[in-house]
Amino acid sequence: YQSKARGGQPIVFSAAMRKEAQRRLRLETELTRAIEQQQFVVHYQPVWRLDSKQLVGFEALVRWNHPERGLLMPVQFIEVMEETKQILELDRWVMQHACRQFAHWQKKYPRMSEISISVNLSSEWFSRQNSLDIINTTLKQSGLPAKSLRLEITERSLLGQHEQATIILHQIRRLGVRLAMDDFGTGYSSLNYLHRLPLDIVKIDRSFTSQIHVEQRAKDVVQAIVHLASALNMKVNAEGIDNIQQIEILREMGCDFGQGFQLGKPMPSERVPQFVSGKTAAADAV
Ligand code: C2E
Ligand code: MG
Ligand code: MG
Ligand code: MG
């Protein structure tokens, strides 16, 4: 394979590149079919209040039940879906699915009225025209109270579209939906805009959480984020907690919420009601 680059330099496509291009193309085709045939499933990871050890919510995390390759994780398909914009369709499906599921659970298990569901939104979300309508319609159709829904956005998703995004976020917040900044500290964080965003929660990325019990600097960073959030009237949720030491340190620092393998791995929907009522082993670990 040979092709001309813009400068007239020939580019040689190696066999490996050709194979990769073919793999991508096949993946895209498969993903289109996956959306049509609803091959996606949502798993739920518990979120806890660290001081009182209460279960406060779940985060919806998508998986792809691939007909031949089995259950695939987001890292294996989200990036491609962002590039092709298929992610918009997927995010909407996950939101609708999780809201319906939660509305159903809240009716059946009164305890779950106090528990919220968090859904991740991709960076494409703020460039779409009707994002507010979709959220509004989803809430109405599912019957889920707005206060039970949390939407997670990332710093990256605001890049280059701060003003547009800020307007939409304020509109979403006015519906009564809570907003969380996901993976905080890993993207382009500017104090200049953070305080203007109507955020309820800042989520500390796993790359910080995982180091706090071994590295003083990681601990200092997390403490600074906790202080910052508190000054801005926001709550803090640490993600990726995978041992008891981390829980202890975070609680002492005044971190409000936490999630991670130590506190409960993402689980299929069938296990959620039993998890909520049974106060399984994970509850004792908090
Ligand atoms: P995220 O939103 O930061 O989600 C947390 C990820 O960390 C999840 O991975 C979760 O399983 C994992 N995790 C939680 N606790 C631990 C821990 O203690 N140790 C380790 N090693 N990992 C932990 P997952 O499910 O593979 O999702 C990865 C990312 O994919 C998510 O990161 C999110 O950015 C994206 N994603 C997932 N579902 C959706 C979706 O429906 N829409 C969009 N746009 N993105 C999604
Ligand atoms: Mg998230
Ligand atoms: Mg996160
Ligand atoms: Mg993360």
Side-chain angles (χ1 to χ4, degrees), residues 9-248:
Q9 286 285 344
I11 301 172
V12 180
F13 283 88
S14 66
M17 283 168 79
R18 193 173 75 228
K19 238 180 130 187
E20 172 59 18
Q22 283 169 345
R23 192 191 65 86
R24 279 288 300 263
L25 203 62
R26 191 170 58 237
L27 188 58
E28 273 182 51
T29 314
E30 285 180 344
L31 281 164
T32 307
R33 197 179 319 133
I35 291 173
E36 288 164 7
Q37 301 186 352
Q38 309 223 348
Q39 293 172 2
F40 294 98
V41 288
V42 180
H43 282 194
Y44 298 93
Q45 183 175 40
V47 181
W48 303 85
R49 185 185 294 279
L50 293 181
D51 59 6
S52 61
K53 310 180 183 187
Q54 277 170 303
L55 180 69
V56 293
F58 285 90
E59 177 173 5
L61 296 159
V62 71
R63 275 93 183 86
W64 177 12
N65 207 344
H66 191 283
E68 288 120 43
R69 294 158 66 205
L71 203 64
L72 304 184
M73 302 302 273
V75 68
Q76 292 166 285
F77 57 88
I78 291 277
E79 202 185 310
V80 176
M81 292 188 92
E82 279 175 348
E83 284 167 27
T84 60
K85 311 259 195 242
Q86 289 170 310
I87 192 72
L88 289 170
E89 198 48 48
L90 180 67
D91 281 352
R92 178 162 73 165
W93 182 84
V94 171
M95 194 195 302
Q96 285 173 341
H97 187 83
C99 286
R100 266 190 222 133
Q101 178 76 82
F102 259 68
H104 169 74
W105 280 334
Q106 289 190 342
K107 267 196 215 104
K108 209 164 157 197
Y109 311 101
R111 239 210 106 193
M112 286 192 73
S113 307
E114 306 304 313
I115 293 174
S116 64
I117 175 67
S118 298
V119 174
N120 292 284
L121 293 186
S122 84
S123 55
E124 299 303 324
W125 202 262
F126 296 111
S127 37
R128 85 187 297 170
Q129 293 300 310
N130 55 349
S131 47
L132 189 69
D133 289 343
I134 291 173
I135 296 165
N136 211 354
T137 307
T138 303
L139 285 171
K140 288 214 174 99
Q141 287 179 349
S142 66
L144 187 78
K147 70 167 175 63
S148 298
L149 178 63
R150 297 210 166 138
L151 295 176
E152 301 191 0
I153 58 158
T154 61
E155 296 158 290
R156 257 179 303 278
S157 68
L158 304 177
L159 261 186
Q161 47 186 2
H162 274 155
E163 269 160 49
Q164 165 83 348
T166 307
I167 293 168
I168 297 175
L169 289 176
H170 273 103
Q171 292 170 333
I172 296 175
R173 191 63 189 74
R174 243 175 271 136
L175 294 175
V177 173
R178 309 282 155 87
L179 295 168
M181 176 67 81
D182 205 352
D183 302 336
F184 185 72
T186 60
Y188 169 80
S189 324
S190 166
L191 294 179
N192 199 19
Y193 72 78
L194 189 71
H195 77 276
R196 279 180 225 175
L197 298 174
L199 297 171
D200 300 278
I201 295 162
V202 169
K203 293 188 77 170
I204 297 176
D205 192 63
R206 181 162 66 88
S207 56
F208 299 115
T209 310
S210 64
Q211 297 304 309
I212 53 171
H213 61 304
V214 285
E215 212 187 286
Q216 184 61 38
R217 287 188 72 89
K219 200 172 153 181
D220 292 342
V221 170
V222 170
Q223 184 69 75
I225 297 175
V226 171
H227 287 322
L228 173 67
S230 154
L232 295 175
N233 256 321
M234 297 169 188
K235 302 275 186 216
V236 184
N237 180 356
E239 60 177 21
I241 298 176
D242 58 16
N243 64 52
I244 295 169
Q245 280 167 286
Q246 291 167 356
I247 300 176
E248 220 28 73

